[in-house]
Amino acid sequence: MSNLSSQAAAQYNNNFLKEVEAMVEEGNWVKMCMQCGVCSGSCPTNFQAGWDHPPQEIFMMIRAGKREEVLNSQSMWMCTSCYNCIVRCPRKLPITHIMHGLANYAHRLGLAPKNQPTRHFAKLFWNNCIQTGRVNELKLSLGLYFKDGFKQGIINGLAMKDVALGLLKAKRLNPFELFKAHGCKDQKGIHAMLKKAHEIEERRKAIKTA
């Protein structure tokens, strides 16, 4: 192999690619991307302002070792989970899973973009849901309205007052759930299940990095 070929091979055999393969869901598929761009052409978001890079660029950047640029990117958080990219990928890469896996990994490392709205909603929804096993819509809505402070929360709430009144009339919104939310019957079982899932995931990561 020539020096030039050796340098090119080394460029794509970097530590960040190995890190993604070990720590990111379905990350071992990244090296299989052939850069055809079908995923980009299939995405219904049309890559609006929030997208820094389409999926195939993210995968190439991983292979090129651009760790900080990838993990700080907004791109993974813009995925709507429509699965068009997976259906149309000629190599059947689990692109949606990889994008969500990268977002989750960036979040765990504290490298995800601050105040990223999708990340904020995901955290709010998850922390809300795991308390009782069911989403408390009232607390979830209030958390979204007041994320930018009390004053902005009041403005947001007043803007949605007609919707709130409609939900109250239809008995789809219960103001007393602010104090005691409805939940699943076996909440201890749900918490035990989530704990077990977390343990399995940690073991999986330990095996992959060993």
Side-chain angles (χ1 to χ4, degrees):
M1 184 181 291
S2 67
N3 289 337
L4 185 61
S5 298
S6 298
Q7 290 172 6
Q11 181 182 9
Y12 295 105
N13 190 26
N14 62 77
N15 289 332
F16 184 41
L17 175 58
K18 294 177 182 177
E19 180 183 350
V20 168
E21 290 176 338
M23 304 303 294
V24 173
E25 180 184 2
E26 305 289 4
N28 57 301
W29 282 88
V30 168
K31 61 180 176 290
M32 296 298 294
C33 175
M34 62 183 190
Q35 297 294 300
C36 68
V38 168
C39 53
S40 300
S42 304
C43 184
T45 67
N46 198 28
F47 300 104
Q48 302 298 327
W51 282 92
D52 297 323
H53 310 279
Q56 85 275 11
E57 284 187 13
I58 289 288
F59 298 162
M60 181 57 75
M61 289 160 65
I62 291 171
R63 289 151 66 177
K66 296 186 176 182
R67 186 178 191 273
E68 185 175 341
E69 194 172 345
V70 169
L71 296 177
N72 288 335
S73 174
Q74 298 268 357
S75 298
M76 297 85 72
W77 300 95
M78 304 304 294
C79 175
T80 63
S81 303
C82 73
Y83 295 96
N84 274 353
C85 53
I86 292 181
V87 171
R88 296 177 178 174
C89 176
R91 287 193 169 175
K92 304 302 180 186
L93 270 69
I95 299 166
T96 303
H97 305 301
I98 298 170
M99 295 297 278
H100 289 318
L102 286 167
N104 181 266
Y105 187 52
H107 167 69
R108 297 202 315 266
L109 293 177
L111 297 174
K114 297 188 183 300
N115 301 318
Q116 212 291 330
T118 306
R119 175 174 175 262
H120 176 80
F121 179 79
K123 287 173 58 183
L124 199 64
F125 183 92
W126 178 251
N127 292 335
N128 183 309
C129 187
I130 62 175
Q131 292 181 24
T132 64
R134 296 182 67 176
V135 175
N136 183 321
E137 291 91 349
L138 182 59
K139 286 187 176 181
L140 181 65
S141 300
L142 289 174
L144 288 172
Y145 291 164
F146 287 90
K147 72 181 181 67
D148 296 319
F150 182 78
K151 181 180 178 181
Q152 187 60 45
I154 296 296
I155 294 171
N156 293 338
L158 289 173
M160 296 294 290
K161 67 180 185 303
D162 293 337
V163 174
L165 289 172
L167 290 170
L168 283 170
K169 290 178 181 178
K171 297 183 179 180
R172 297 298 303 273
L173 185 65
N174 183 357
F176 293 105
E177 289 208 349
L178 186 61
F179 308 102
K180 182 174 176 58
H182 62 286
C184 294
K185 292 181 180 179
D186 187 14
Q187 294 181 27
K188 288 184 178 179
I190 290 172
H191 294 155
M193 177 182 67
L194 291 172
K195 181 180 178 182
K196 186 66 175 179
H198 179 73
E199 291 172 356
I200 292 171
E201 179 67 7
E202 290 303 310
R203 283 202 301 272
R204 183 187 68 81
K205 290 173 185 172
I207 291 171
K208 291 182 75 173
T209 55

